Amino acid sequence: MNISLGSVSIPLKDIFNSLTGNPTGQETWQHIIQNYRLPKSLTAIIVGSGLGISGLLMQTLFRNPLAGPFVLGISSGASLGVALVILGSGVFGGIFASLFISKWGVVIAASLGSFLVLLAVLMVSIKVRDTMAILIIGLMFASITAAIVSVLSYFGSAEQLQQYIFWGFGSLGNLSWHDVLILFLIYGLGIIISILSIKPLNTLLLGENYAKSLGLNIKQSRLIIIIATSLLAGTITAFTGPIAFIGLAIPHITRQVFNTSNHKILLPAVFIFGAIVMLICDSIAQLPNSDFTLPINAITSLVGAPVVIWLLVRKRKMIF
């Protein structure tokens, strides 16, 4: 459905023909499917499942239903890196403006920003015993980076501010096959680490003291979970921009549907639910048969938030 909808509506039969190597009704459809819509759909699957799983990891680690993939300040770090590239020329001179000429300049800047914040959080997690303290420190890092971005925005030009705001809207359609491959490789590593963390995650649900009594190395498990989240959320943000709602809400929707807190069930379920919801949101954002595309960030919240509210009100309890 996602591949079919867009400014040009393509019949499902022609989509199947294109994917199986058979000729389609029109030559241009083949080009649209292979070079634009298929990479975008795969990106939506990666983004939805990756942010959903990283949100699940954070909610379990901090035992907090409001925790999401960006509570560690990873998204804020990426935003700061991009702000330095786009807005920094107004403060630091032309070197940052020259970096922005390349699309990879933005990706590298976002990745470096996320990595530096991750490094700071990892150093803190090694020294701090209390898991909640890491959550608060992550929020403080987010506040610091937001303040720096505000200063850069003050000195930026109208054109630079517009470029930065458009990056903040998030986009799934700007990735080539080469970009999708790089994103998939790092995402795949994050998924593998998440799967290996299923047993520690289930143990952490019992509480840190009980988990210690069962022989779980809390610091090591915490470190592995933070690295998995950072690989998923940091890479996705670097390539597609910050995308809201998915990481926070998908784990809640999955818990309500399956009525369990067992991560052997939750992890694959969140993967599937995240991918489906992201594909639906992207299909809505395309405004079928229209040349306009709405910001994916706005659609994920507008579509998803009412669903979560309805599920929670209907169930009247939260499985956690």
Side-chain angles (χ1 to χ4, degrees), residues 262-298:
N262 184 355
H263 286 78
K264 285 183 180 178
I265 298 169
L266 282 179
L267 203 73
V270 165
F271 179 98
I272 294 166
F273 271 55
I276 291 171
V277 169
M278 199 68 210
L279 285 167
I280 291 170
C281 289
D282 182 54
S283 300
I284 295 169
Q286 286 302 309
L287 291 176
N289 300 317
S290 169
D291 292 333
F292 295 101
T293 303
L294 295 175
I296 190 68
N297 235 338

Coordinates of all heavy atoms in Angstrom, one line a residue, residues 262-298:
N262 N 6.8 -9.9 28.8 CA 7.9 -10.8 28.4 C 8.5 -10.3 27.1 O 7.9 -10.2 26.0 CB 7.4 -12.2 28.2 CG 8.5 -13.2 27.8 OD1 9.6 -12.9 27.7 ND2 8.1 -14.5 27.8
H263 N 9.8 -10.0 27.1 CA 10.5 -9.4 26.0 C 10.7 -10.4 24.8 O 11.0 -10.0 23.7 CB 11.8 -8.8 26.4 CG 11.7 -7.5 27.2 ND1 11.3 -7.5 28.5 CD2 11.8 -6.2 26.8 CE1 11.2 -6.2 28.9 NE2 11.5 -5.4 27.9
K264 N 10.6 -11.7 25.1 CA 10.7 -12.6 24.0 C 9.5 -12.5 23.1 O 9.6 -12.8 21.9 CB 10.7 -14.1 24.6 CG 12.0 -14.5 25.2 CD 12.0 -15.9 25.7 CE 13.3 -16.3 26.3 NZ 13.3 -17.7 26.8
I265 N 8.4 -12.0 23.6 CA 7.2 -11.7 22.8 C 7.2 -10.2 22.4 O 6.9 -9.9 21.2 CB 5.9 -12.0 23.6 CG1 5.8 -13.5 23.9 CG2 4.7 -11.6 22.8 CD1 4.7 -13.9 24.9
L266 N 7.5 -9.3 23.3 CA 7.5 -7.9 23.1 C 8.4 -7.4 22.0 O 8.0 -6.6 21.1 CB 7.7 -7.1 24.3 CG 6.6 -7.0 25.4 CD1 7.1 -6.2 26.6 CD2 5.4 -6.4 24.8
L267 N 9.6 -7.9 22.0 CA 10.7 -7.4 21.0 C 10.2 -7.7 19.6 O 10.2 -6.7 18.8 CB 12.0 -8.1 21.3 CG 13.2 -7.3 20.8 CD1 13.4 -6.0 21.7 CD2 14.5 -8.1 20.8
P268 N 9.9 -8.9 19.2 CA 9.4 -9.1 17.8 C 8.1 -8.4 17.5 O 7.9 -7.9 16.4 CB 9.3 -10.6 17.6 CG 9.2 -11.1 19.0 CD 10.0 -10.2 19.9
A269 N 7.2 -8.3 18.5 CA 5.9 -7.6 18.3 C 6.1 -6.1 18.1 O 5.5 -5.5 17.2 CB 5.0 -7.9 19.5
V270 N 7.0 -5.5 18.9 CA 7.3 -4.1 18.7 C 8.0 -3.8 17.3 O 7.7 -2.8 16.7 CB 8.3 -3.6 19.8 CG1 8.9 -2.2 19.5 CG2 7.5 -3.5 21.1
F271 N 8.8 -4.7 16.9 CA 9.4 -4.7 15.6 C 8.3 -4.6 14.5 O 8.4 -3.7 13.6 CB 10.3 -5.9 15.3 CG 11.0 -5.9 14.0 CD1 12.3 -5.5 13.8 CD2 10.3 -6.4 12.9 CE1 12.9 -5.5 12.6 CE2 10.9 -6.4 11.6 CZ 12.2 -6.0 11.5
I272 N 7.4 -5.5 14.5 CA 6.3 -5.5 13.5 C 5.4 -4.3 13.6 O 5.1 -3.7 12.6 CB 5.5 -6.9 13.6 CG1 6.4 -8.0 13.3 CG2 4.3 -6.8 12.7 CD1 5.9 -9.4 13.7
F273 N 4.9 -4.0 14.9 CA 4.0 -2.9 15.1 C 4.6 -1.6 14.7 O 4.0 -0.7 14.0 CB 3.6 -2.9 16.5 CG 2.3 -3.7 16.8 CD1 2.3 -5.0 16.5 CD2 1.2 -3.1 17.4 CE1 1.2 -5.8 16.8 CE2 0.1 -3.9 17.7 CZ 0.1 -5.2 17.4
G274 N 5.9 -1.4 15.0 CA 6.6 -0.2 14.7 C 6.7 0.0 13.2 O 6.5 1.1 12.7
A275 N 7.1 -1.0 12.5 CA 7.2 -1.0 11.0 C 5.8 -0.7 10.4 O 5.7 0.2 9.5 CB 7.7 -2.3 10.5
I276 N 4.8 -1.3 10.8 CA 3.4 -1.1 10.2 C 2.9 0.3 10.5 O 2.5 1.0 9.6 CB 2.4 -2.2 10.8 CG1 2.7 -3.6 10.3 CG2 1.0 -1.8 10.5 CD1 2.0 -4.7 11.0
V277 N 3.1 0.8 11.7 CA 2.6 2.1 12.1 C 3.4 3.2 11.2 O 2.8 4.1 10.7 CB 2.7 2.4 13.6 CG1 2.5 3.9 13.9 CG2 1.7 1.5 14.3
M278 N 4.7 3.0 11.1 CA 5.5 3.9 10.3 C 5.1 4.0 8.9 O 5.0 5.0 8.2 CB 7.0 3.6 10.5 CG 7.9 4.8 10.2 SD 7.7 6.1 11.4 CE 8.1 7.5 10.4
L279 N 4.8 2.8 8.3 CA 4.4 2.7 6.9 C 3.0 3.4 6.7 O 2.8 4.1 5.7 CB 4.3 1.2 6.5 CG 5.6 0.5 6.2 CD1 5.4 -1.0 6.1 CD2 6.3 1.1 4.9
I280 N 2.1 3.2 7.7 CA 0.8 3.8 7.6 C 0.9 5.4 7.7 O 0.3 6.1 6.9 CB -0.2 3.3 8.7 CG1 -0.5 1.8 8.4 CG2 -1.4 4.2 8.8 CD1 -1.2 1.2 9.6
C281 N 1.7 5.8 8.6 CA 2.0 7.3 8.8 C 2.6 7.9 7.6 O 2.2 9.0 7.1 CB 2.8 7.5 10.0 SG 2.0 7.2 11.6
D282 N 3.5 7.2 6.9 CA 4.2 7.7 5.7 C 3.2 7.7 4.6 O 3.2 8.6 3.8 CB 5.4 6.8 5.4 CG 6.1 7.3 4.1 OD1 6.5 8.5 4.1 OD2 6.3 6.5 3.2
S283 N 2.3 6.7 4.5 CA 1.3 6.7 3.4 C 0.3 7.9 3.6 O -0.1 8.5 2.6 CB 0.4 5.4 3.5 OG 1.3 4.3 3.3
I284 N -0.1 8.2 4.8 CA -0.9 9.4 5.1 C -0.2 10.7 4.7 O -0.8 11.6 4.1 CB -1.4 9.4 6.6 CG1 -2.3 8.2 6.8 CG2 -2.2 10.7 6.9 CD1 -2.6 8.0 8.3
A285 N 1.1 10.8 5.1 CA 1.9 12.0 4.9 C 2.1 12.3 3.4 O 2.2 13.4 3.0 CB 3.3 11.8 5.5
Q286 N 2.0 11.2 2.6 CA 2.2 11.4 1.1 C 1.0 12.2 0.5 O 1.2 12.7 -0.6 CB 2.3 10.0 0.4 CG 3.6 9.3 0.7 CD 4.8 10.1 0.2 OE1 4.8 10.6 -0.9 NE2 5.7 10.3 1.1
L287 N -0.1 12.3 1.2 CA -1.3 12.9 0.6 C -1.6 12.3 -0.8 O -1.3 13.0 -1.8 CB -1.2 14.4 0.5 CG -1.2 15.1 1.9 CD1 -1.0 16.6 1.6 CD2 -2.5 15.0 2.6
P288 N -2.1 11.1 -0.9 CA -2.3 10.4 -2.2 C -2.9 11.3 -3.3 O -3.8 12.0 -3.0 CB -3.2 9.2 -1.8 CG -2.8 8.9 -0.4 CD -2.6 10.2 0.2
N289 N -2.4 11.2 -4.5 CA -2.8 11.9 -5.6 C -2.6 13.4 -5.5 O -3.3 14.3 -6.1 CB -4.3 11.6 -5.9 CG -4.5 10.2 -6.3 OD1 -3.8 9.6 -7.0 ND2 -5.6 9.6 -5.7
S290 N -1.6 13.8 -4.6 CA -1.3 15.2 -4.4 C 0.2 15.4 -4.5 O 1.0 14.4 -4.2 CB -1.8 15.7 -3.1 OG -1.2 17.0 -2.8
D291 N 0.7 16.5 -4.9 CA 2.1 16.8 -5.0 C 2.7 17.2 -3.7 O 3.9 17.3 -3.5 CB 2.4 17.9 -6.0 CG 2.1 17.5 -7.5 OD1 2.1 16.3 -7.7 OD2 1.7 18.4 -8.3
F292 N 1.9 17.4 -2.7 CA 2.4 17.8 -1.4 C 2.7 16.6 -0.5 O 2.0 15.6 -0.6 CB 1.3 18.7 -0.7 CG 1.1 20.0 -1.4 CD1 0.0 20.2 -2.2 CD2 2.0 21.1 -1.2 CE1 -0.3 21.4 -2.9 CE2 1.8 22.3 -1.9 CZ 0.6 22.4 -2.7
T293 N 3.7 16.8 0.4 CA 4.0 15.8 1.4 C 4.1 16.5 2.8 O 4.8 17.5 3.0 CB 5.4 15.2 1.1 OG1 5.4 14.6 -0.2 CG2 5.7 14.1 2.1
L294 N 3.3 16.0 3.7 CA 3.3 16.6 5.1 C 4.5 16.1 5.9 O 5.0 15.0 5.6 CB 2.0 16.1 5.8 CG 0.7 16.7 5.2 CD1 -0.5 16.1 6.0 CD2 0.6 18.2 5.3
P295 N 4.9 16.9 6.9 CA 6.0 16.4 7.7 C 5.7 15.1 8.4 O 4.6 15.0 9.1 CB 6.2 17.6 8.7 CG 5.5 18.7 8.1 CD 4.4 18.2 7.3
I296 N 6.5 14.1 8.3 CA 6.3 12.8 8.9 C 6.2 12.9 10.4 O 5.5 12.2 11.1 CB 7.4 11.8 8.5 CG1 7.0 10.4 8.9 CG2 8.7 12.1 9.0 CD1 5.8 9.8 8.2
N297 N 7.0 13.9 11.0 CA 6.9 14.1 12.5 C 5.5 14.4 13.0 O 5.1 14.0 14.0 CB 7.9 15.2 12.8 CG 8.9 14.8 13.8 OD1 8.7 13.9 14.6 ND2 10.0 15.5 13.9
A298 N 4.8 15.3 12.2 CA 3.5 15.7 12.6 C 2.5 14.6 12.5 O 1.7 14.4 13.4 CB 3.1 16.9 11.7

